[in-house]
Amino acid sequence: MKMADRIKQAVKRFQQISLSSLFVILVSVIVMITSVVSLLIFVNLYRNDMEQNAITTSEQAVVQVKNTVFNYTEDMSDIMQMICANIQKEEEEANNFFSNLLKIRSDVVAVTSYDMNGKILKCWTNGQKLKENYIKNLSYVRDLPQEEGILNITKPHVESLFVDYYPWVVTISQNMQDANGNTIQVAVDISFYNIADYVDDVGIGQHGYCYIADDAGNIVYHPQQQLIYASLKEENQKNMENGTYIKSNVIYTVNSLQNCDWHIVGVCYVDEMITNKVERVVSSLVVILAIVLAGTVFLGSVFSDLFSKPVTSLVRAMGEFEGNSAEFVYHPVTGTKEISALSDSFEHMAVRIQKLMEEVRQEEISLRKTELKALQAQINPHFLYNTLDAIAWMCEAGRNEDAVEMVNALARLFRISISRGHELIPIEKELQHAQSYLHIQNFRYKNQFRYQFDVDEACLSYYCNKITLQPIIENAIYHGMDRMVDEGMIRIGIHQSEDKIIFTVEDNGVGMTEEQCEEVLKKERSDRAGIGIKNVNDRIKIYFGEEYGLTIKSELDEGTCVTIMMPKVTEGSYEDK
């Protein structure tokens, strides 16, 4: 027996059990999920352990850099104390001291004293010549803060006081009293290359590093200084306090120097420090997870057949019923006892709703037919009376041929109007109806207007609502030309456009305002009892939908054009609806 057949048999057996029997299977799935979750928790704990090791490594590197920089700054402090002790000695003795100091300590670039206005009083260098004019002296600190035990160290800068000599230095400054009791500032420029080289050599992982910042978080020195200046890199560690912080998968370790406002900041990346170890663990867990997932997929497919597929089929059937309830045929869904009961209930509900919808549809059809017959029954007695009066007058005047012609036209008019009770008639007959009506009115109005037809012969075989053109023509005669002095003109057009038939009735009468055009389509006729324009519009919309009907365009003293839009209807396609 094939595996597929076995699975189908298993599904059939599962479909016969109740939900209470599925509890055991559900527990099995929970156990499997719990195993997967346990593995994920183990990986997470292992990752956290590796993260803590990374933090420890970062802290050790930062402490190492801090101790080195602290020793260097303490050495700077000792040099400052010796300078302050010897700067007030006799000039020759002081010069000998500074000369020896500059020879012994090659990292000391210059020792300079300033008055409180920043004017250089004395400057000792290793043979360098001072510039007569310089733009800015970064080694002088105005308003130097005085705090016991704290070195006043500037940021690294290029010394610009000397001719053709531009060393990279930091400056240690201190205020003191000279022999005359005046306050002066002593500044020692010390080369920063030694510290920079040491900081550059410190690495935490492959891409981790250390940098120096001040209390405000401003960078004093960074091994990637050029990237910082070019705005290609930035550090987010501001207002730093001692400790370790993890931000966006980056470990920041901060440790402050006690003798100045410098902080050593270590930066390393969690992923880089732990990825290799975690990958080894994950690779050994992948096989286990694959087995678990394979079992889950198998059980999931079984449960899909048992629960998901029947429910999906039921939901799809409900959607089909909602979209086309009239022609919907339901096929029962098999599954557990509960799903089978739900399927039977839906089938009963669908059948009941279909019966109710059919009853409502029949009632709507009857109501619509009654409404259409009521609209069609509105015959114009004035028109009939005036036509018969004109026929009588012709007979008395001896115009028997004209009387016979009018009687024949009137007979054709009523024969087409009746149309054996059909609402839809061929456009050809509707055109004959309009011609008969115009023929009669032309007799009555003694040729006060002319009319012409522009008809696409291909449209004549399609069907339309009967008595569609006559009310529009009647409105053009009574309201458009009744007060005209000149001869009137009525043009009737019938054309097709894609799946539509378009009728137009255009006159050169007195016209209407836009408000009057809107009013015509809203108000029933009050002056005559015939089928009005609104009734024509209503009948078309009842039969074919809201997208069809009449539109009116008119200009005062220019004329009016009524456009009627209908779908292309062939014989029998709408008659039974």
Side-chain angles (χ1 to χ4, degrees), residues 233-299:
K233 182 180 179 63
E234 63 178 6
E235 297 292 351
N236 298 321
Q237 197 65 13
K238 302 293 184 182
N239 302 320
M240 297 170 291
E241 297 181 359
N242 288 348
T244 300
Y245 312 91
I246 300 178
K247 296 182 179 180
S248 302
N249 209 34
V250 178
I251 299 175
Y252 292 95
T253 302
V254 182
N255 208 321
S256 302
L257 274 69
Q258 292 80 13
N259 59 350
C260 63
D261 66 346
W262 284 5
H263 302 267
I264 308 301
V265 182
V267 179
C268 66
Y269 302 95
V270 174
D271 287 342
E272 180 184 275
M273 300 295 289
I274 67 175
T275 297
N276 293 335
K277 294 181 181 180
V278 172
E279 282 183 353
R280 285 195 295 268
V281 174
V282 170
S283 61
S284 47
L285 292 177
V286 164
V287 177
I288 299 175
L289 290 176
I291 295 173
V292 172
L293 289 175
T296 302
V297 170
F298 174 75
L299 290 177

Side-chain angles (χ1 to χ4, degrees), residues 168 196-202 207-212 219-228 233 235 265 267:
W168 190 32
D197 291 342
Y198 179 78
V199 173
D200 289 343
D201 291 338
V202 174
H207 299 92
Y209 53 85
C210 290
Y211 69 91
I212 304 173
I219 293 176
V220 174
Y221 175 72
H222 197 290
Q224 301 174 10
Q225 199 91 0
Q226 297 300 325
L227 297 179
I228 299 290
K233 182 180 179 63
E235 297 292 351
V265 182
V267 179

Side-chain angles (χ1 to χ4, degrees), residues 196-419:
D197 291 342
Y198 179 78
V199 173
D200 289 343
D201 291 338
V202 174
I204 309 175
Q206 290 184 346
H207 299 92
Y209 53 85
C210 290
Y211 69 91
I212 304 173
D214 60 18
D215 283 336
N218 299 316
I219 293 176
V220 174
Y221 175 72
H222 197 290
Q224 301 174 10
Q225 199 91 0
Q226 297 300 325
L227 297 179
I228 299 290
Y229 289 154
S231 299
L232 299 176
K233 182 180 179 63
E234 63 178 6
E235 297 292 351
N236 298 321
Q237 197 65 13
K238 302 293 184 182
N239 302 320
M240 297 170 291
E241 297 181 359
N242 288 348
T244 300
Y245 312 91
I246 300 178
K247 296 182 179 180
S248 302
N249 209 34
V250 178
I251 299 175
Y252 292 95
T253 302
V254 182
N255 208 321
S256 302
L257 274 69
Q258 292 80 13
N259 59 350
C260 63
D261 66 346
W262 284 5
H263 302 267
I264 308 301
V265 182
V267 179
C268 66
Y269 302 95
V270 174
D271 287 342
E272 180 184 275
M273 300 295 289
I274 67 175
T275 297
N276 293 335
K277 294 181 181 180
V278 172
E279 282 183 353
R280 285 195 295 268
V281 174
V282 170
S283 61
S284 47
L285 292 177
V286 164
V287 177
I288 299 175
L289 290 176
I291 295 173
V292 172
L293 289 175
T296 302
V297 170
F298 174 75
L299 290 177
S301 63
V302 174
F303 275 92
S304 176
D305 289 337
L306 186 61
F307 289 106
S308 301
K309 287 186 178 180
V311 172
T312 302
S313 299
L314 189 59
V315 171
R316 188 185 303 112
M318 291 179 179
E320 293 174 356
F321 178 72
E322 183 179 2
N324 186 11
S325 55
E327 300 178 1
F328 176 75
V329 178
Y330 181 64
H331 301 285
V333 176
T334 58
T336 62
K337 294 179 180 179
E338 291 77 4
I339 292 178
S340 297
L342 184 61
S343 174
D344 294 340
S345 298
F346 174 70
E347 182 180 14
H348 176 74
M349 180 191 70
V351 172
R352 179 60 180 160
I353 290 176
Q354 285 175 330
K355 290 181 179 179
L356 293 174
M357 290 178 62
E358 180 62 24
E359 293 175 3
V360 172
R361 191 174 75 88
Q362 293 300 327
E363 292 177 0
E364 288 180 348
I365 291 174
S366 300
L367 181 62
R368 184 173 67 178
K369 289 181 178 180
T370 302
E371 183 179 355
L372 291 175
K373 289 179 180 179
L375 291 174
Q376 294 168 9
Q378 297 181 16
I379 305 301
N380 187 342
H382 293 278
F383 167 73
L384 179 61
Y385 170 79
N386 290 333
T387 303
L388 293 176
D389 186 58
I391 293 173
W393 174 79
M394 289 178 184
C395 291
E396 291 175 357
R399 296 172 58 184
N400 296 330
E401 292 182 1
D402 291 340
V404 170
E405 187 175 348
M406 279 196 70
V407 169
N408 289 332
L410 185 62
R412 286 195 304 272
L413 187 72
F414 280 100
R415 184 165 58 250
I416 295 173
S417 297
I418 296 171
S419 300

